[in-house]
Amino acid sequence: MVRDERLTTYIRSLEGPEDPVLEQIEQEAADTYVPIIRKETQSFLKTLLMIKQPSRVLEIGTAIGFSAILMSEYMPEGGQIITVEKYEKRIPIARENFRRAGKEGQITLIEGDALAVMQALDGSFDLIFMDAAKGQYIRYLPEAVRLLSDGGVLVSDNVLQDGDVIESRFAVERRNRTIHSRMREYLYELKHHERLLTSILPLGDGVALSVKC
Ligand SMILES: C[S@@+](CC[C@H](N)C(=O)[O-])C[C@H]1O[C@@H](n2cnc3c(N)ncnc32)[C@H](O)[C@@H]1O
């Protein structure tokens, strides 16, 4: 999202090596065209987790488990993650990756559609990471707010759509117009929700950081 590629390359070059299993999974995701969080977003999440020290995390959009494993590395002792995925082909790969990383006891994968799963969940979460279908975030928002603890943090990824979000509806390709208008609606809601304080960051593909007040 930061438009200057050299700046992004420079920022990425400062990153040190990750846990070897995570590095392998990241490479496997690249080889199989599975979208996972970008390096800058990884660094942001790690730092946020260390500050927030969440005991319970909910992730919407597991893919093959990369970000769930990454987050689990930066949680306090005993911290638990619930992650939700509906794409059948990715679920066994994610489960295998949790096993490879030795995280089966810390990460619980729930299979199914995010909205239905969220509606069935109770208890509260200290951090929710929203990283699924961008056009659906607006539908998940009421459940996300309900499930967040007071002071809980909502991180929404890919909210600036590689810059498309600032374009007029008619400048966006026709097939992307629904997502475009839903994302603008989502960002408006995040900024005007009476229970949320939100900062929108041009980081990676755009990250919205909200806190429930
Ligand atoms: C960008 S990927 C997640 C990447 C992952 N968080 C990471 O960084 O390692 C988004 C995932 O959300 C899943 N997804 C999309 N819509 C969903 C829905 N309605 N319910 C559950 N999962 C969904 C997709 O199948 C995809 O695997």
Side-chain angles (χ1 to χ4, degrees), residues 96-118:
E96 172 57 15
N97 286 338
F98 297 149
R99 192 201 58 74
R100 278 165 82 188
K103 299 289 182 180
E104 289 160 302
Q106 194 181 358
I107 304 172
T108 305
L109 197 164
I110 302 183
E111 306 180 18
D113 181 68
L115 184 61
V117 171
M118 290 173 92

Short mmCIF file of all heavy atoms in Angstrom, two decimals, residues 96-118:
data_model
loop_
_atom_site.label_atom_id
_atom_site.label_comp_id
_atom_site.label_asym_id
_atom_site.label_seq_id
_atom_site.Cartn_x
_atom_site.Cartn_y
_atom_site.Cartn_z
N GLU A 96 -2.53 -29.64 9.57
CA GLU A 96 -1.20 -30.25 9.51
C GLU A 96 -0.12 -29.22 9.92
O GLU A 96 0.83 -29.55 10.63
CB GLU A 96 -0.96 -30.79 8.09
CG GLU A 96 0.45 -31.29 7.81
CD GLU A 96 0.95 -32.39 8.76
OE1 GLU A 96 0.14 -33.01 9.48
OE2 GLU A 96 2.19 -32.61 8.79
N ASN A 97 -0.30 -27.98 9.49
CA ASN A 97 0.67 -26.95 9.86
C ASN A 97 0.65 -26.66 11.36
O ASN A 97 1.71 -26.43 11.96
CB ASN A 97 0.43 -25.67 9.05
CG ASN A 97 0.88 -25.83 7.60
OD1 ASN A 97 1.72 -26.69 7.31
ND2 ASN A 97 0.33 -25.03 6.71
N PHE A 98 -0.52 -26.71 11.97
CA PHE A 98 -0.59 -26.51 13.43
C PHE A 98 0.18 -27.64 14.13
O PHE A 98 0.88 -27.42 15.12
CB PHE A 98 -2.03 -26.43 13.93
CG PHE A 98 -2.80 -25.24 13.36
CD1 PHE A 98 -4.18 -25.31 13.15
CD2 PHE A 98 -2.14 -24.07 13.04
CE1 PHE A 98 -4.87 -24.22 12.62
CE2 PHE A 98 -2.83 -22.98 12.50
CZ PHE A 98 -4.19 -23.06 12.29
N ARG A 99 0.04 -28.85 13.56
CA ARG A 99 0.75 -29.99 14.15
C ARG A 99 2.26 -29.81 13.98
O ARG A 99 3.02 -29.96 14.93
CB ARG A 99 0.27 -31.29 13.47
CG ARG A 99 0.72 -32.56 14.17
CD ARG A 99 0.69 -33.77 13.27
NE ARG A 99 1.52 -33.61 12.08
CZ ARG A 99 2.86 -33.67 12.06
NH1 ARG A 99 3.51 -33.89 13.18
NH2 ARG A 99 3.53 -33.50 10.94
N ARG A 100 2.68 -29.44 12.77
CA ARG A 100 4.11 -29.22 12.49
C ARG A 100 4.73 -28.20 13.44
O ARG A 100 5.88 -28.30 13.85
CB ARG A 100 4.30 -28.67 11.08
CG ARG A 100 4.29 -29.66 9.99
CD ARG A 100 4.12 -28.93 8.66
NE ARG A 100 5.33 -28.37 8.10
CZ ARG A 100 5.33 -27.56 7.03
NH1 ARG A 100 4.21 -27.24 6.42
NH2 ARG A 100 6.45 -27.07 6.57
N ALA A 101 3.92 -27.16 13.73
CA ALA A 101 4.43 -26.08 14.58
C ALA A 101 4.27 -26.40 16.06
O ALA A 101 4.65 -25.58 16.92
CB ALA A 101 3.72 -24.76 14.22
N GLY A 102 3.66 -27.55 16.37
CA GLY A 102 3.45 -27.92 17.77
C GLY A 102 2.42 -27.04 18.45
O GLY A 102 2.50 -26.77 19.66
N LYS A 103 1.43 -26.58 17.70
CA LYS A 103 0.46 -25.62 18.22
C LYS A 103 -0.95 -26.19 18.36
O LYS A 103 -1.91 -25.42 18.54
CB LYS A 103 0.40 -24.39 17.31
CG LYS A 103 1.71 -23.64 17.19
CD LYS A 103 2.04 -22.92 18.48
CE LYS A 103 3.32 -22.13 18.38
NZ LYS A 103 3.66 -21.42 19.60
N GLU A 104 -1.09 -27.51 18.25
CA GLU A 104 -2.45 -28.08 18.29
C GLU A 104 -3.20 -27.76 19.58
O GLU A 104 -4.41 -27.64 19.59
CB GLU A 104 -2.38 -29.60 18.12
CG GLU A 104 -1.99 -30.03 16.74
CD GLU A 104 -1.46 -31.45 16.74
OE1 GLU A 104 -0.46 -31.69 17.46
OE2 GLU A 104 -2.04 -32.29 16.04
N GLY A 105 -2.44 -27.65 20.68
CA GLY A 105 -3.09 -27.37 21.96
C GLY A 105 -3.45 -25.90 22.14
O GLY A 105 -4.23 -25.55 23.04
N GLN A 106 -2.91 -25.06 21.29
CA GLN A 106 -3.10 -23.61 21.47
C GLN A 106 -4.05 -23.01 20.43
O GLN A 106 -4.67 -21.97 20.67
CB GLN A 106 -1.74 -22.91 21.37
CG GLN A 106 -1.75 -21.49 21.86
CD GLN A 106 -0.39 -20.80 21.74
OE1 GLN A 106 0.60 -21.40 21.31
NE2 GLN A 106 -0.36 -19.53 22.11
N ILE A 107 -4.16 -23.68 19.28
CA ILE A 107 -4.97 -23.12 18.19
C ILE A 107 -6.10 -24.10 17.87
O ILE A 107 -5.87 -25.28 17.62
CB ILE A 107 -4.12 -22.89 16.91
CG1 ILE A 107 -2.93 -21.98 17.22
CG2 ILE A 107 -4.98 -22.30 15.80
CD1 ILE A 107 -1.92 -21.83 16.06
N THR A 108 -7.33 -23.60 17.88
CA THR A 108 -8.49 -24.41 17.54
C THR A 108 -9.07 -23.90 16.24
O THR A 108 -9.41 -22.72 16.13
CB THR A 108 -9.58 -24.28 18.65
OG1 THR A 108 -8.98 -24.63 19.89
CG2 THR A 108 -10.78 -25.18 18.36
N LEU A 109 -9.15 -24.79 15.25
CA LEU A 109 -9.72 -24.39 13.96
C LEU A 109 -11.20 -24.79 13.94
O LEU A 109 -11.54 -25.95 14.18
CB LEU A 109 -8.97 -25.08 12.83
CG LEU A 109 -9.13 -24.52 11.42
CD1 LEU A 109 -8.04 -25.03 10.50
CD2 LEU A 109 -10.48 -24.80 10.80
N ILE A 110 -12.05 -23.83 13.67
CA ILE A 110 -13.48 -24.14 13.50
C ILE A 110 -13.79 -24.04 12.01
O ILE A 110 -13.51 -23.01 11.37
CB ILE A 110 -14.39 -23.18 14.29
CG1 ILE A 110 -14.04 -23.23 15.79
CG2 ILE A 110 -15.85 -23.53 14.07
CD1 ILE A 110 -14.93 -22.38 16.68
N GLU A 111 -14.34 -25.13 11.46
CA GLU A 111 -14.68 -25.14 10.04
C GLU A 111 -16.06 -24.56 9.86
O GLU A 111 -16.99 -24.91 10.59
CB GLU A 111 -14.70 -26.59 9.53
CG GLU A 111 -13.44 -27.34 9.83
CD GLU A 111 -13.49 -28.78 9.30
OE1 GLU A 111 -14.34 -29.07 8.43
OE2 GLU A 111 -12.69 -29.58 9.76
N GLY A 112 -16.21 -23.70 8.87
CA GLY A 112 -17.55 -23.19 8.57
C GLY A 112 -17.52 -21.76 8.13
O GLY A 112 -16.46 -21.12 8.06
N ASP A 113 -18.72 -21.26 7.83
CA ASP A 113 -18.83 -19.88 7.37
C ASP A 113 -18.65 -18.93 8.56
O ASP A 113 -19.25 -19.12 9.63
CB ASP A 113 -20.19 -19.66 6.72
CG ASP A 113 -20.30 -18.24 6.22
OD1 ASP A 113 -19.58 -17.89 5.28
OD2 ASP A 113 -21.08 -17.46 6.82
N ALA A 114 -17.85 -17.91 8.34
CA ALA A 114 -17.46 -17.02 9.44
C ALA A 114 -18.66 -16.44 10.19
O ALA A 114 -18.66 -16.42 11.43
CB ALA A 114 -16.58 -15.90 8.89
N LEU A 115 -19.65 -15.97 9.46
CA LEU A 115 -20.77 -15.31 10.14
C LEU A 115 -21.50 -16.28 11.06
O LEU A 115 -21.76 -15.97 12.23
CB LEU A 115 -21.74 -14.69 9.12
CG LEU A 115 -22.88 -13.88 9.74
CD1 LEU A 115 -22.34 -12.69 10.54
CD2 LEU A 115 -23.85 -13.40 8.67
N ALA A 116 -21.79 -17.48 10.54
CA ALA A 116 -22.50 -18.47 11.36
C ALA A 116 -21.67 -18.88 12.56
O ALA A 116 -22.19 -19.01 13.68
CB ALA A 116 -22.84 -19.69 10.49
N VAL A 117 -20.36 -19.04 12.35
CA VAL A 117 -19.49 -19.43 13.46
C VAL A 117 -19.45 -18.32 14.51
O VAL A 117 -19.58 -18.58 15.72
CB VAL A 117 -18.06 -19.76 12.95
CG1 VAL A 117 -17.10 -19.96 14.12
CG2 VAL A 117 -18.07 -21.00 12.06
N MET A 118 -19.33 -17.09 14.06
CA MET A 118 -19.28 -15.97 15.01
C MET A 118 -20.57 -15.89 15.81
O MET A 118 -20.57 -15.67 17.03
CB MET A 118 -19.02 -14.65 14.28
CG MET A 118 -17.63 -14.53 13.70
SD MET A 118 -17.42 -13.06 12.69
CE MET A 118 -16.81 -11.89 13.87
#
